[in-house]
Structures are given as structure tokens and as C-alpha cells.
Amino acid sequence: MSKPDSKLPLTGVRVLELGTLIAGPYAASVLAQFGAEVIKVESPSDGDPLRNWRKLHEGTSLWWYSQSRNKKSLTLDLKHEKGQAVVRKLVESADIVIENFRPGTLEKWNLGWEALHAINPNMNMVRVSGYGQSGPYRDRPGFAAIAESLGGMRYLAGYPDRPPVRVGVSIGDTLASLYGVIGALLALHHHKVNGGQGQLIDVALYEAVFGCMESLIPEFSAFGFVRERSGASLPGIAPSNTYPCRDGNYVIIAGNSDSIFKRLMVAIERPDLAEDPQLARNEGRVARVDMLDGAISGWTTRHDLEHVLAVLEKAAVPCGRIYNAEDIAKDPHYKARGMLEEHQLPNGDQVTFPGIVPKLSETPGQTRWLGPQLGQHTGEILQQLGMSEQEVAELRQQGVV
């Protein structure tokens, strides 16, 4: 935890969040964890749909409490002229605006980049969408599942004899969020150090996924090679796979560096393979990967998982069990690293939430409060803008807030 009198790294940075669900809001969440003041604009009627996604505690999503920590909730009808006027007033003092509507939506409300940039030339705007703000696909709706497919990730996930699968989280949204955070911080640095004006940060979900696809396109360009699904193994790098143990559990083993490979072979009682000159380098091991996987699984299937882990850890071979939520909750390393935080929900129940990443030595991030109630900070924010209690009451009566 940071010292009581220390400032978080983004103290003094004001963020206006206009998005819903994951991609835009998660980017704002990361900024909020490190001290930014995040004002989240929500619909007065039902708020961000994330409030009702997955497991609910007394009607509110636990995911909401986690992703919306440290944010202030302001209800505004963005389709109403008075709601739009409030946004424009907030933009005057905003450092970052984050939105993830379909391209053109904010322009219909006179809240697009050009309109807001004219109000505050130093403001940076992160716009997250399925396909970006330009190009022939810009107007298509896009969620993470589609972006993961278009970006090349979905095609590689699973086994070659089965349809492609997806990872069980919205990884495309998360990747786009993190790229949005990077872009916002780059733009803030440029303004502070180089004196530049605010910038538009255009993040496409599919591009965020595509940016993590390693050598996929260079290999196709140079060799016409189309990478296919390879199950649990890592193609072109050997040995690295999931192996069955005698007790029905599985172990992940990554013995793909030259020195680690030798230690692995000795540990599984195959010194002959450790000293085979044809296996000394990765390219030779890739050519005989099926044989190597057979040798490793032949050893793991003779032992229970705990024995396999003990032997490989002693040999300094990267390995691990496959964790579920219960495993994570019980793991001492998670606890020691501060990755399991205990917080009270509104009714007093204690619930564990994920810790904050990354770890900063002097100004680590903090969970100051969990996701707020809908409109919890509306009066406070509007009065800070100079509105009287009567004016705020009138806006409530008109359904603007």
C-alpha cells in the first residue's frame, strides 16, 4: 500500500468515461486504480448493462463492483440536449475522454472528437470500436468475439480436428482496453513534455488482437505458411505442451529453451535425449516434437501431479498445474503478492476481488472504493459544475439525470 500522504501516479488527471460494458470502461478502470478521477456517465434508467452481467449479489454484478472500482457514477441522458451540455461542460476540465460507442454515435449527439477538441484542445480522446473510426468496416457493430475471429486468434484456438474455440473471457476487449490506456498515457506524456495538443486515440478491437499475433503474417508473407490449430502445444516451439498425469490431472511443461530442455530430459530419466546433438536446438526439437511429447507424457503418466511438479521444480524446469478459481483463492503466492483483496459490499458481506496490476514500488495502485451505485455522485458532480440544488432537481424531474 502507498503511504497515506503519498500521491498516486495519476492524481490530478480527470477522465470522462462515456462507454459501457468492457472495452472502454476497463481502460478507465485501470486509470482509476492509479489515482485518476474517473467520472462514469450512465443512462439514468438502467445504467451500464454490466451492472447485471453474470453472478449478482443482491441485484448487482460482482463484476461491476470490481471493474468500476474508484469511479464516480453520473447519470445523464446523452440523447437529451441538456445532458449533452453537461458533457461539454465536463470536457472543459477533462484530460481524457473514453468512449466505445459505434463510430458516428457521438457525432449524432454533437459530442464527437472535433466538437470536444474545439472545447478543450488539450483533451485526449480514446475511441474504442470493433473496426476503428475509418475503413470499409467502420460502421459494423463489433464485440470481442468477432474481433478475436477477425484478428486471427480464434482460428488458432483449439484442436485441428474440431471447430475453433474461444477463451472463456473477453480477451479482445481487455487487449483493446490496455492499448487504449497506453495510447492515453503516450498522449498525456506528449502534451506534458513536448507541448503537443490533445490527440485522438483510435483503438480497434480486431487490431488489438491482431497486434498480439506474433509471426502469423510474416510467415504467411514469406513462405505462404498458414498456421493451424495445434491444441495445447505451442507451434514451432518444442517441447511445450499439456501432459496427463497418473491421477487424472494435467501438468503444463515448457522445456523449450536449450538448457531447460536438457534438464527436463534428465529429470524424466531420458539422458539419451538430453545429449542427442539433433535435439540441442529448437529447430531440431520441432522436427521431432511428437517423439518428445511421447517421451514426456510417458513419464508423467507414471506419476501423480504432485510428484511431477516436485521433480521438475527441483530441476528448475518451468511447469505448473492448471488453476481454477478455487485454486487461485487458496494460493499463498497470490495472497503474498496482494492479488487477493478483501472488500465489503454495501450489506457488509466480505468478498475477495482481484488485486491491481502492475506493481509500482513508490506509488502502487489502490482500491479506494468498489463500483458505485447508479448515479451516486450525480449531485456532487453537477454542483461542482456550478449548478444549484434546484437546477439539479429540475434535471432529475425532466429525466436528464
Side-chain angles (χ1 to χ4, degrees):
M1 297 293 289
S2 60
K3 299 176 182 178
D5 59 348
S6 67
K7 290 186 177 181
L8 293 171
L10 295 180
T11 297
V13 173
R14 171 169 279 193
V15 179
L16 182 61
E17 180 198 312
L18 304 179
T20 61
L21 296 176
I22 308 171
Y26 185 69
S29 177
V30 173
L31 299 174
Q33 290 167 18
F34 290 93
E37 179 192 18
V38 175
I39 298 174
K40 179 177 178 61
V41 174
E42 299 186 74
S43 166
S45 55
D46 49 13
D48 191 322
L50 191 73
R51 289 178 175 273
N52 300 301
W53 277 25
R54 296 210 176 114
K55 299 293 184 181
L56 307 184
H57 180 276
E58 296 190 347
T60 299
S61 166
L62 291 172
W63 190 1
W64 164 263
Y65 283 125
S66 180
Q67 179 172 283
S68 301
R69 67 182 89 183
N70 303 330
K71 296 182 182 181
K72 297 179 178 179
S73 174
L74 165 67
T75 52
L76 279 181
D77 182 355
L78 296 181
K79 298 178 182 179
H80 197 290
E81 288 186 2
K82 290 185 177 180
Q84 297 163 10
V86 171
V87 170
R88 284 190 279 271
K89 186 67 176 176
L90 287 168
V91 166
E92 292 178 7
S93 59
D95 298 288
I96 302 169
V97 174
I98 298 177
E99 68 96 7
N100 64 331
F101 293 102
R102 196 186 303 187
T105 300
L106 287 186
E107 280 73 11
K108 289 190 300 185
W109 300 333
N110 299 309
L111 298 175
W113 162 249
E114 292 185 359
L116 300 186
H117 181 64
I119 295 171
N120 180 358
N122 294 326
M123 176 271 300
N124 302 286
M125 189 173 193
V126 178
R127 309 196 76 171
V128 185
S129 61
Y131 302 92
Q133 301 297 314
S134 61
Y137 301 164
R138 73 180 292 270
D139 295 324
R140 294 182 182 180
F143 278 169
I146 312 304
E148 291 157 22
S149 301
L150 189 71
M153 181 179 290
R154 182 70 68 91
Y155 187 80
L156 299 183
Y159 288 86
D161 59 340
R162 305 176 201 174
V165 299
R166 73 172 299 176
V167 67
V169 294
S170 300
I171 190 68
D173 284 320
T174 304
L175 290 172
S177 297
L178 296 178
Y179 275 114
V181 169
I182 293 169
L185 296 179
L186 291 172
L188 281 175
H189 178 81
H190 176 63
H191 171 64
K192 181 177 180 180
V193 175
N194 302 322
Q197 286 195 336
Q199 299 186 58
L200 169 62
I201 298 103
D202 182 358
V203 181
L205 292 176
Y206 86 95
E207 290 170 357
V209 173
F210 178 62
C212 298
M213 295 310 296
E214 302 175 351
S215 58
L216 187 76
I217 286 300
E219 290 173 353
F220 174 75
S221 176
F223 307 118
F225 175 73
V226 176
R227 194 184 306 174
E228 300 290 340
R229 292 184 289 285
S230 57
S233 67
L234 192 60
I237 301 173
S240 182
N241 212 330
T242 303
Y243 303 94
C245 298
R246 182 174 61 184
D247 55 6
N249 290 308
Y250 289 87
V251 61
I252 308 295
I253 301 175
N256 43 280
S257 80
D258 298 341
S259 59
I260 292 174
F261 169 74
K262 285 192 173 185
R263 296 200 299 272
L264 171 60
M265 292 300 104
V266 172
I268 69 169
E269 303 166 2
R270 291 299 304 268
D272 56 314
L273 298 179
E275 300 304 323
D276 188 336
Q278 295 183 351
L279 301 175
R281 298 289 181 266
N282 182 66
E283 59 268 24
R285 297 193 293 271
V286 170
R288 298 169 64 185
V289 64
D290 291 340
M291 180 275 293
L292 290 175
D293 282 341
I296 297 169
S297 61
W299 177 76
T300 59
T301 53
R302 298 198 304 270
H303 304 284
D304 292 345
L305 173 63
E306 293 300 330
H307 176 81
V308 169
L309 292 173
V311 170
L312 296 184
E313 288 172 5
K314 185 177 180 180
V317 173
C319 61
R321 67 181 76 239
I322 300 173
Y323 273 25
N324 61 21
E326 184 177 3
D327 297 321
I328 291 172
K330 293 179 178 179
D331 188 275
H333 191 78
Y334 270 84
K335 185 176 181 179
R337 294 275 298 168
M339 289 309 299
L340 299 172
E341 296 184 356
E342 296 293 325
H343 295 285
Q344 277 194 349
L345 296 179
N347 73 339
D349 286 350
Q350 288 282 126
V351 175
T352 303
F353 288 89
I356 294 173
V357 181
K359 309 292 185 189
L360 274 65
S361 61
E362 296 299 319
T363 56
Q366 294 180 0
T367 300
R368 290 163 286 159
W369 63 84
L370 296 178
Q373 296 177 359
L374 180 61
Q376 181 176 335
H377 303 92
T378 297
E380 167 193 327
I381 294 168
L382 295 181
Q383 288 176 29
Q384 287 176 353
L385 293 179
M387 292 188 185
S388 66
E389 291 186 10
Q390 181 178 348
E391 289 174 313
V392 174
E394 289 175 359
L395 290 179
R396 292 188 190 280
Q397 190 174 28
Q398 295 167 1
V400 178
V401 302

